[in-house]
Every structure is written in structure tokens, then in C-alpha cells.
Coordinates of all heavy atoms in Angstrom, one line a residue:
Q1 N -2.5 -2.7 5.4 CA -1.5 -3.7 5.4 C -0.2 -3.1 6.2 O 0.3 -2.1 5.8 CB -1.0 -4.0 4.0 CG 0.1 -5.1 3.9 CD 0.6 -5.1 2.5 OE1 1.1 -4.1 1.9 NE2 0.6 -6.3 1.9
F2 N 0.2 -3.9 7.2 CA 1.4 -3.5 8.0 C 2.6 -4.3 7.4 O 2.5 -5.6 7.3 CB 1.2 -3.9 9.4 CG 0.2 -3.1 10.1 CD1 -0.4 -3.6 11.3 CD2 -0.2 -1.8 9.7 CE1 -1.4 -2.8 12.0 CE2 -1.2 -1.1 10.4 CZ -1.8 -1.6 11.5
L3 N 3.6 -3.7 7.0 CA 4.9 -4.3 6.6 C 6.0 -3.8 7.4 O 6.2 -2.6 7.7 CB 5.1 -4.1 5.1 CG 4.1 -4.6 4.1 CD1 4.5 -4.2 2.6 CD2 4.0 -6.1 4.2
G4 N 6.9 -4.8 7.7 CA 8.2 -4.4 8.4 C 9.3 -4.4 7.4 O 9.3 -5.2 6.4
G5 N 10.3 -3.6 7.6 CA 11.5 -3.5 6.8 C 12.4 -4.7 6.9 O 12.3 -5.5 7.9
D6 N 13.2 -4.9 5.9 CA 14.1 -6.1 6.0 C 15.4 -5.7 6.7 O 15.5 -4.8 7.4 CB 14.4 -6.6 4.5 CG 15.0 -5.6 3.6 OD1 15.6 -4.7 4.1 OD2 14.8 -5.7 2.4
T7 N 16.4 -6.5 6.5 CA 17.7 -6.3 7.2 C 18.6 -5.2 6.6 O 19.6 -4.8 7.2 CB 18.5 -7.6 7.2 OG1 18.7 -8.1 5.9 CG2 17.7 -8.7 8.0
N8 N 18.2 -4.7 5.4 CA 18.9 -3.7 4.8 C 18.4 -2.3 5.2 O 17.2 -2.0 4.8 CB 18.9 -3.8 3.2 CG 19.6 -2.8 2.5 OD1 20.1 -1.8 3.1 ND2 19.7 -2.9 1.2
P9 N 19.1 -1.5 5.9 CA 18.5 -0.2 6.4 C 18.2 0.7 5.3 O 17.5 1.7 5.5 CB 19.6 0.3 7.3 CG 20.9 -0.3 6.9 CD 20.5 -1.7 6.4
N10 N 18.7 0.5 4.1 CA 18.5 1.4 3.0 C 17.3 0.9 2.1 O 17.0 1.6 1.1 CB 19.7 1.5 2.1 CG 20.9 2.1 2.9 OD1 20.7 3.1 3.6 ND2 22.1 1.6 2.8
S11 N 16.7 -0.2 2.4 CA 15.6 -0.7 1.5 C 14.4 0.0 1.8 O 14.2 0.6 2.9 CB 15.4 -2.2 1.8 OG 15.0 -2.5 3.1
V12 N 13.4 0.0 0.9 CA 12.1 0.7 1.1 C 11.0 -0.4 1.1 O 10.9 -1.2 0.2 CB 11.9 1.7 -0.1 CG1 10.5 2.3 0.0 CG2 13.0 2.7 -0.1
R13 N 10.2 -0.3 2.2 CA 9.1 -1.2 2.3 C 8.0 -0.4 3.1 O 8.0 -0.4 4.3 CB 9.5 -2.5 3.0 CG 8.5 -3.7 2.8 CD 9.1 -5.0 3.2 NE 8.3 -6.1 2.8 CZ 7.7 -7.0 3.6 NH1 7.8 -6.8 4.9 NH2 7.0 -8.0 3.1
T14 N 7.1 0.2 2.4 CA 6.1 1.1 3.1 C 5.2 0.3 3.9 O 5.0 -0.9 3.7 CB 5.4 1.9 2.1 OG1 4.7 1.0 1.2 CG2 6.3 2.8 1.3
T15 N 4.5 0.9 4.9 CA 3.5 0.3 5.7 C 2.2 1.1 5.7 O 2.2 2.2 5.1 CB 4.1 0.1 7.2 OG1 3.2 -0.8 7.9 CG2 4.2 1.4 7.9
S16 N 1.2 0.6 6.4 CA -0.1 1.2 6.3 C -0.6 1.4 4.9 O -1.2 2.4 4.5 CB -0.2 2.5 7.1 OG -1.4 2.7 7.7
N17 N -0.3 0.3 4.1 CA -0.7 0.3 2.7 C -2.2 -0.1 2.6 O -2.8 -0.4 3.6 CB 0.1 -0.7 1.9 CG 1.6 -0.4 2.0 OD1 2.1 0.7 1.8 ND2 2.4 -1.5 2.3
L18 N -2.8 0.0 1.4 CA -4.1 -0.4 1.2 C -4.2 -1.7 0.5 O -3.5 -1.9 -0.5 CB -4.8 0.7 0.3 CG -6.2 0.3 -0.3 CD1 -7.3 0.2 0.8 CD2 -6.6 1.3 -1.3
C19 N -5.0 -2.6 1.0 CA -5.4 -3.9 0.2 C -6.9 -4.1 0.3 O -7.5 -3.6 1.2 CB -4.6 -5.1 0.8 SG -2.9 -5.1 0.5
T20 N -7.4 -4.8 -0.7 CA -8.9 -4.8 -0.8 C -9.4 -6.2 -1.1 O -9.8 -6.5 -2.2 CB -9.3 -3.9 -2.0 OG1 -8.6 -4.3 -3.2 CG2 -9.0 -2.4 -1.7
P21 N -9.5 -7.0 0.0 CA -10.1 -8.4 -0.2 C -11.6 -8.3 -0.4 O -12.3 -8.1 0.6 CB -9.7 -9.1 1.1 CG -9.5 -8.0 2.1 CD -9.0 -6.8 1.3
G22 N -12.0 -8.6 -1.6 CA -13.5 -8.5 -1.9 C -14.1 -7.2 -1.9 O -15.3 -7.0 -1.8
T23 N -13.2 -6.1 -2.1 CA -13.7 -4.8 -2.0 C -13.1 -3.9 -3.1 O -12.1 -4.2 -3.7 CB -13.5 -4.2 -0.6 OG1 -12.1 -4.3 -0.3 CG2 -14.3 -4.9 0.4
H24 N -13.6 -2.7 -3.2 CA -13.1 -1.6 -4.0 C -13.2 -0.3 -3.2 O -13.9 -0.2 -2.3 CB -13.8 -1.4 -5.4 CG -13.7 -2.5 -6.3 ND1 -12.5 -3.2 -6.6 CD2 -14.7 -3.1 -7.1 CE1 -12.8 -4.2 -7.5 NE2 -14.0 -4.1 -7.8
V25 N -12.4 0.7 -3.6 CA -12.5 2.0 -3.1 C -12.4 3.0 -4.2 O -12.1 2.7 -5.3 CB -11.4 2.3 -2.0 CG1 -11.5 1.3 -0.9 CG2 -10.0 2.3 -2.6
V26 N -12.6 4.3 -3.9 CA -12.4 5.4 -4.8 C -11.2 6.2 -4.4 O -11.1 6.7 -3.3 CB -13.7 6.3 -4.9 CG1 -13.4 7.5 -5.8 CG2 -14.8 5.5 -5.6
I27 N -10.2 6.4 -5.3 CA -9.1 7.2 -5.1 C -9.0 8.2 -6.2 O -9.0 7.9 -7.4 CB -7.8 6.4 -5.1 CG1 -7.8 5.3 -3.9 CG2 -6.5 7.2 -4.9 CD1 -6.6 4.4 -3.9
N28 N -8.8 9.5 -5.8 CA -8.8 10.6 -6.8 C -10.0 10.6 -7.8 O -9.8 10.7 -9.0 CB -7.5 10.6 -7.6 CG -6.3 10.8 -6.7 OD1 -6.3 11.6 -5.7 ND2 -5.2 10.2 -7.0
N29 N -11.1 10.3 -7.2 CA -12.4 10.3 -7.9 C -12.5 9.2 -9.0 O -13.4 9.2 -9.8 CB -12.6 11.6 -8.6 CG -12.8 12.8 -7.7 OD1 -13.5 12.7 -6.7 ND2 -12.1 13.9 -7.9
E30 N -11.7 8.2 -8.9 CA -11.8 7.0 -9.8 C -11.8 5.7 -9.0 O -11.2 5.6 -7.9 CB -10.5 7.0 -10.7 CG -10.5 8.1 -11.7 CD -9.4 8.0 -12.7 OE1 -8.6 7.0 -12.6 OE2 -9.2 8.9 -13.5
L31 N -12.6 4.8 -9.4 CA -12.8 3.5 -8.8 C -11.4 2.7 -8.9 O -10.9 2.5 -9.9 CB -13.9 2.6 -9.4 CG -14.2 1.4 -8.7 CD1 -14.9 1.7 -7.3 CD2 -15.2 0.5 -9.5
F32 N -10.9 2.3 -7.7 CA -9.6 1.6 -7.7 C -9.9 0.2 -7.5 O -10.5 -0.3 -6.5 CB -8.8 2.1 -6.4 CG -7.4 1.5 -6.3 CD1 -6.4 1.9 -7.1 CD2 -7.2 0.5 -5.4 CE1 -5.1 1.3 -7.0 CE2 -6.0 -0.2 -5.3 CZ -4.9 0.3 -6.1
T33 N -9.5 -0.6 -8.5 CA -9.8 -2.0 -8.6 C -8.6 -3.0 -8.4 O -8.9 -4.2 -8.1 CB -10.5 -2.4 -9.9 OG1 -9.7 -2.1 -11.0 CG2 -11.9 -1.7 -10.0
P34 N -7.4 -2.5 -8.5 CA -6.3 -3.4 -8.1 C -6.4 -3.8 -6.7 O -7.1 -3.2 -5.9 CB -5.0 -2.6 -8.4 CG -5.5 -1.6 -9.4 CD -6.9 -1.3 -9.0
H35 N -5.6 -4.9 -6.3 CA -5.7 -5.4 -4.9 C -5.0 -4.5 -3.9 O -5.6 -4.3 -2.8 CB -5.2 -6.8 -4.9 CG -5.2 -7.4 -3.5 ND1 -6.4 -7.4 -2.7 CD2 -4.3 -8.1 -2.8 CE1 -6.1 -8.0 -1.6 NE2 -4.9 -8.4 -1.6
C36 N -3.9 -4.0 -4.2 CA -3.1 -3.2 -3.2 C -2.5 -2.0 -3.8 O -2.3 -1.9 -5.0 CB -2.0 -4.1 -2.6 SG -2.5 -5.5 -1.6
K37 N -2.3 -1.0 -2.9 CA -1.6 0.2 -3.3 C -0.7 0.7 -2.1 O -1.2 0.7 -1.0 CB -2.6 1.3 -3.6 CG -2.0 2.7 -4.0 CD -3.1 3.7 -4.3 CE -2.6 5.1 -4.6 NZ -1.7 5.0 -5.8
N38 N 0.5 1.0 -2.5 CA 1.5 1.4 -1.4 C 1.2 2.8 -0.9 O 0.7 3.6 -1.6 CB 2.9 1.4 -2.0 CG 3.5 0.0 -2.1 OD1 2.9 -1.0 -1.6 ND2 4.6 -0.2 -2.9
S39 N 1.4 2.9 0.4 CA 1.2 4.3 1.0 C 2.5 5.1 0.7 O 3.4 4.6 0.0 CB 1.0 4.1 2.5 OG 2.3 3.8 3.1
T40 N 2.5 6.3 1.3 CA 3.7 7.2 1.1 C 4.5 7.2 2.4 O 5.3 8.1 2.6 CB 3.3 8.6 0.8 OG1 2.4 9.1 1.9 CG2 2.5 8.7 -0.5
S41 N 4.4 6.1 3.2 CA 5.1 6.1 4.5 C 6.6 5.8 4.3 O 7.1 5.4 3.3 CB 4.5 5.0 5.4 OG 5.1 3.7 5.1
K42 N 7.3 6.0 5.4 CA 8.7 5.6 5.4 C 8.8 4.1 5.8 O 7.7 3.5 6.0 CB 9.5 6.4 6.4 CG 9.2 6.1 7.9 CD 10.0 7.0 8.9 CE 9.8 6.6 10.3 NZ 10.6 7.4 11.3
T43 N 10.0 3.6 5.8 CA 10.1 2.2 6.2 C 10.5 2.0 7.6 O 11.4 2.8 8.1 CB 11.2 1.5 5.3 OG1 10.9 1.6 3.9 CG2 11.4 0.0 5.6

């Protein structure tokens, strides 16, 4: 998922996040079932 920051230069909105339409993945050896997970990117 690509997200752009808002008009506040101090706000946080990460990009290159993970979303899973009709899918699952494994993170840290556990099945990840929520729809989205934020990355550790800057804004």
C-alpha cells in the first residue's frame, strides 16, 4: 500500500505497508490474518 503524507509536515503516515485482499502471510513465524500492517518507513 502506497500512502502519501498530509499537509502537516510533522504527521506520520507510513508507505509500502502490507494489505491482504483475500490473502494471508506469515510474519515472525505466525500466520498474520488482519487486513493491513504498517511498515517502518518514514512519511
Side-chain angles (χ1 to χ4, degrees):
Q1 179 194 54
F2 296 155
L3 295 179
D6 59 24
T7 55
N8 180 353
N10 297 316
S11 67
V12 175
R13 201 167 189 241
T14 61
T15 192
S16 212
N17 304 311
L18 167 69
C19 291
T20 55
T23 55
H24 294 318
V25 300
V26 171
I27 299 177
N28 296 326
N29 297 316
E30 295 185 0
L31 189 67
F32 181 79
T33 59
H35 179 47
C36 291
K37 181 178 176 62
N38 286 346
S39 76
T40 58
S41 83
K42 70 179 187 182
T43 302

